[in-house]
Amino acid sequence: MTTIPKTLEASFIPMIGYAKAWERQKEIVKAADSGQCGDRLLLLQHSPTYTIGTQRHPEHLLLDAEQLRQRGIELFEIDRGGDITYHGPGQLVGYPLLYLDAEGLDLHRYLRDLEQVIINWLADYGITGSRKPEYTGVWVGELKIAAIGVKFNRCRQRRGFVTSHGFALNLKSGIAADGFDGIIPCGIASHGVTSFADLTGQEIAMEQSAEEILRHFCLQFGYEPVPLHKEPAETSH
C-alpha cells in the first residue's frame, strides 16, 4: 500500500444536489482508506435539503411530505452525528475528508478545530464567534451561524479513521425563513439561527467565502496553502 503524505486538495462546487455530494464523499472515503488519495476538502452549496443525523428525531421536522414537495426541499436520513439541519442556497457547506491516524487521536479536538476555522474567519470581519459547551457548532451570541456534524469512518486497511460530512456556514440574509423555519434546527428549540449577512448587512460571494475558509482551514489543520480548484455546478440530483 502506498503511503500518502499529508497534503490537501480543495475543490469548490457552486451548486450540487445532496445525493450526488454524499456519493462523492463515500467514494473519497473508500479511496482514502486504501491509501489511493490524500486529504480532500469539498466546499460547495446545496439545493434545498433537510438531513436527519444518527440521533434520529423525525419529530423535529415540522413539515409533511406535501409541504416538502411544495417548497422543493429534499429529505435524507444520513450517517453523520447530530440531529436535523437544513442545507440550501446561501450556505457554504464544507466536507473535510481527512485521514486521522489512530495514534494520539482526539476526535473531540477535530470538532473543536472545525469550529475554530469558522471562529477565525468570523473574526476577520469583526464578528465574535463562540462555542456553547453543551452544543457542537459556532454561535454569535445566542444564535447559531454554523452547524457541525461529522462521521468518523473506521478504516479497514489503515490504522485510524477517515472523516466525512462537516460544517454548514450560513451566509445570506433570510436563510432562516428559507428552510430553518420548517425544522427544530439540531433539535434545539431554545435558540435560533443567524447568517453573515444578517450580522453585517453585507453580502459575500460564495466563492470568496470558500477561498477565505480554505485559508483558515489550512492554517488550523497544519496544511501548506493550496489553491481552490473550481468545478462546474451539478444541478441534477
Side-chain angles (χ1 to χ4, degrees):
M1 182 181 66
T2 302
T3 300
I4 303 295
K6 184 176 171 65
T7 59
L8 182 70
E9 181 181 337
S11 299
F12 172 69
I13 310 171
M15 181 63 70
I16 184 171
Y18 190 86
K20 290 188 108 173
W22 193 12
E23 284 305 310
R24 185 161 175 178
Q25 287 189 75
K26 293 174 186 176
E27 292 169 1
I28 295 172
V29 167
K30 184 177 179 180
D33 183 354
S34 61
Q36 296 177 16
C37 74
D39 293 344
R40 298 287 306 275
L41 175 62
L42 304 180
L43 294 165
L44 49 86
Q45 188 175 207
H46 281 310
S47 48
T49 306
Y50 290 132
T51 63
I52 300 176
T54 55
Q55 290 184 13
R56 294 289 186 268
H57 288 290
E59 69 274 14
H60 293 159
L61 172 63
L62 306 179
L63 305 177
D64 60 27
E66 177 59 22
Q67 290 171 314
L68 289 173
R69 187 193 66 78
Q70 291 176 354
R71 295 178 63 165
I73 302 176
E74 293 190 285
L75 176 65
F76 293 88
E77 290 191 1
I78 62 171
D79 55 355
R80 63 157 171 77
D83 204 308
I84 190 168
T85 195
Y86 170 74
H87 297 310
Q91 183 188 74
L92 180 69
V93 175
Y95 295 136
L97 300 129
L98 315 179
Y99 172 67
L100 305 179
D101 193 279
E103 185 174 351
L105 181 61
D106 185 342
L107 301 181
H108 290 288
R109 171 64 185 273
Y110 174 75
L111 295 172
R112 303 294 81 78
D113 282 342
L114 278 186
E115 292 166 345
Q116 196 62 47
V117 170
I118 306 298
I119 290 169
N120 292 345
W121 177 78
L122 291 170
D124 287 347
Y125 290 92
I127 302 170
T128 301
S130 63
R131 300 179 177 89
K132 288 188 178 296
E134 64 271 39
Y135 303 124
T136 299
V138 178
W139 304 74
V140 179
E142 295 301 307
L143 300 175
K144 181 181 276 191
I145 193 168
I148 292 176
V150 305
K151 181 182 180 184
F152 297 103
N153 302 273
R154 185 179 294 277
C155 293
R156 298 182 179 182
Q157 301 184 49
R158 306 172 77 181
R159 185 187 63 174
F161 297 83
V162 178
T163 66
S164 60
H165 302 288
F167 63 84
L169 172 62
N170 301 330
L171 296 178
K172 82 165 191 176
S173 181
I175 195 167
D178 289 344
F180 284 103
D181 65 343
I183 61 174
I184 300 175
C186 301
I188 305 171
S190 57
H191 299 285
V193 299
T194 189
S195 71
F196 173 83
D198 289 330
L199 293 167
T200 65
Q202 306 173 35
E203 297 290 340
I204 185 169
M206 194 64 54
E207 188 173 326
Q208 177 186 336
S209 68
E211 293 271 11
E212 295 170 355
I213 288 291
L214 172 59
R215 178 171 59 84
H216 281 291
F217 188 90
C218 289
L219 287 170
Q220 187 66 32
F221 283 89
Y223 297 98
E224 292 296 318
V226 296
L228 184 63
H229 175 65
K230 290 130 182 120
E231 300 187 19
E234 299 187 36
T235 53
S236 63
H237 301 310

